[in-house]
């Protein structure tokens, strides 16, 4: 646990010893938001929603607007209710828990559940304006191609009061080519699916977490990638949430294929 930042006052012998140490509050953290996208390959309106989310990531940055796509619900299955390849049981459990009824539908920082794509721009903008109580960063510390095991390191710094709740870690994969029903009713066989939820590293609810102002924490996680997942196309997503919603989120690639990218940790 890191000690609060302190300044030492000197040059004046008459200064009381209790006044020589002055607390310096951590700088405010920039806000990043989590968008949980509930989608399905038979959802004809989902490509329009995906385009909207992509535009928001271009505008604000993919590290600032972090999107995770859950293929879930009846439109992620065949008419005979056989799950498609991108469907996951975790996604179905979240879909049921949050009482999603129509798709596409997004959950913004677990505070606003909305099915109207035209409203998403406003919802994201308003969420970004809310203050953050901590900084959060995540880095991939190593991937073993033989065991397919990866190590992830999450760092946190409290910047405002005490933040308590849970810390959650997910894996996503992009550049997955599979079919998708389109708005005109046609089927695009080579549609590119991005930020698709793959796995919860530390369970559906994550782990209990609490951090005080000026306190620093480092958490380490390991997990094994399933066969067929392409690590070069995968990201880790870490976030802290409580009953008031998601308080902060960060993301990083599992493998740095070019120049190392800056992590999501706030400057």
């Amino acid at each position: 646990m890191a000690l609060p930042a302190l300044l030492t006052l000197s040059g004046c012998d008459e200064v009381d010893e209790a006044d020589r140490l002055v607390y310096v509050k951590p700088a405010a953290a920039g806000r990043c938001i989590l968008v949980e996208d509930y989608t399905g390959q038979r959802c004809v309106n989902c490509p329009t929603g995906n385009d909207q989310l992509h535009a928001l990531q271009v505008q604000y940055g993919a590290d600032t607007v972090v999107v995770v796509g859950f293929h879930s619900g009846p439109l992620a299955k065949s008419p005979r209710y056989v799950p498609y390849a991108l469907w996951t049981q975790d996604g179905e459990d979240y879909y049921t828990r949050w009482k999603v009824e129509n798709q596409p539908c997004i959950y913004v920082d677990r505070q606003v559940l909305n099915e109207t794509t035209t409203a998403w721009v406003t919802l994201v903008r308003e969420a970004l304006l809310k203050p953050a109580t901590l900084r959060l960063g995540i880095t991939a510390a190593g991937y073993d191609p033989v065991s397919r095991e990866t190590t992830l390191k999450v760092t946190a710094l409290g910047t405002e009061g005490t933040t308590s709740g849970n810390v959650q870690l997910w894996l996503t994969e992009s550049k997955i080519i599979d079919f998708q029903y389109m708005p005109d009713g046609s089927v695009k066989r080579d549609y590119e699916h991005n930020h698709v939820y793959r796995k919860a590293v530390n369970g559906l609810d994550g782990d209990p977490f609490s951090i005080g102002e000026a306190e620093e924490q480092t958490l380490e996680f390991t997990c094994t990638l399933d066969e067929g997942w392409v690590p070069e196309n995968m990201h880790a997503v870490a976030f802290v949430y409580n009953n008031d919603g998601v308080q902060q989120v960060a993301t990083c690639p599992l493998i740095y294929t070019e120049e190392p990218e800056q992590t999501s940790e706030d400057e």
Side-chain angles (χ1 to χ4, degrees), residues 58 61 65 76 79 86 141 143 163 191 241:
V58 170
V65 177
L86 302 184
Y143 171 70
T163 303
Y191 187 85
Y241 74 96

Side-chain angles (χ1 to χ4, degrees), residues 25 29 31 131-136 156-167 207-217 219 239-249:
K25 186 180 179 68
R31 183 80 182 201
T133 60
L134 74 157
R135 301 185 190 204
L136 200 64
L157 168 66
T159 59
E160 185 68 42
T162 297
T163 303
S164 297
N166 283 33
V167 60
D207 299 312
F209 176 85
S210 182
I211 193 167
E213 186 171 295
E215 179 186 347
E216 296 180 23
Q217 292 188 29
L219 307 172
F239 63 97
V240 172
Y241 74 96
N242 54 31
N243 290 336
D244 295 322
V246 174
Q247 302 303 306
Q248 190 62 285
V249 60

Side-chain angles (χ1 to χ4, degrees), residues 107-127:
Y107 215 164
V108 181
D109 274 348
R110 294 207 168 155
Q111 292 180 312
V112 182
L113 191 67
N114 191 278
E115 303 162 358
T116 309
T117 58
T118 54
W120 293 1
V121 174
T122 301
L123 293 176
V124 166
R125 182 175 64 246
E126 291 177 348

Side-chain angles (χ1 to χ4, degrees), residues 42-240:
R42 282 202 300 120
C43 172
V44 296
N45 293 320
C46 286
T48 301
N50 291 337
D51 291 343
Q52 183 74 275
L53 293 176
H54 177 70
L56 287 166
Q57 289 190 306
V58 170
Q59 180 178 356
Y60 295 109
D63 287 351
T64 300
V65 177
V66 180
V67 177
V68 178
F70 293 93
H71 285 255
S72 53
L75 297 182
K77 303 173 183 177
S78 74
R80 295 189 177 186
Y81 301 102
V82 177
Y84 295 133
L86 302 184
W87 177 93
T88 62
Q89 184 60 58
D90 287 358
E92 195 73 13
D93 290 343
Y94 287 131
Y95 178 95
T96 301
R97 177 184 297 184
W98 308 133
K99 296 179 172 60
V100 178
E101 295 181 353
N102 298 300
Q103 293 166 300
C105 182
I106 63 170
Y107 215 164
V108 181
D109 274 348
R110 294 207 168 155
Q111 292 180 312
V112 182
L113 191 67
N114 191 278
E115 303 162 358
T116 309
T117 58
T118 54
W120 293 1
V121 174
T122 301
L123 293 176
V124 166
R125 182 175 64 246
E126 291 177 348
L128 288 169
L129 293 175
K130 295 178 181 179
T133 60
L134 74 157
R135 301 185 190 204
L136 200 64
I138 182 169
T139 54
Y143 171 70
D144 184 339
V146 177
S147 66
R148 294 184 64 82
E149 185 176 88
T150 187
T151 301
L152 301 162
K153 188 172 293 186
V154 177
T155 58
L157 168 66
T159 59
E160 185 68 42
T162 297
T163 303
S164 297
N166 283 33
V167 60
Q168 179 82 69
L169 195 65
W170 288 338
L171 298 182
T172 68
E173 185 176 357
S174 292
K175 299 181 180 179
I176 302 173
I177 305 302
D178 209 324
F179 79 89
Q180 175 66 49
Y181 279 73
M182 303 302 290
D184 63 1
S186 65
V187 178
K188 185 174 176 61
R189 298 293 175 184
D190 57 352
Y191 187 85
E192 183 177 293
H193 298 268
N194 292 306
H195 45 73
V196 174
Y197 172 90
R198 285 305 202 186
K199 182 177 185 177
V201 175
N202 58 340
L204 286 180
D205 298 311
D207 299 312
F209 176 85
S210 182
I211 193 167
E213 186 171 295
E215 179 186 347
E216 296 180 23
Q217 292 188 29
T218 299
L219 307 172
E220 192 168 290
F221 301 85
T222 59
C223 64
T224 302
L225 307 188
D226 286 6
E227 292 294 334
W229 295 353
V230 181
E232 290 81 4
N233 296 338
M234 298 187 70
H235 278 69
V237 175
F239 63 97
V240 172

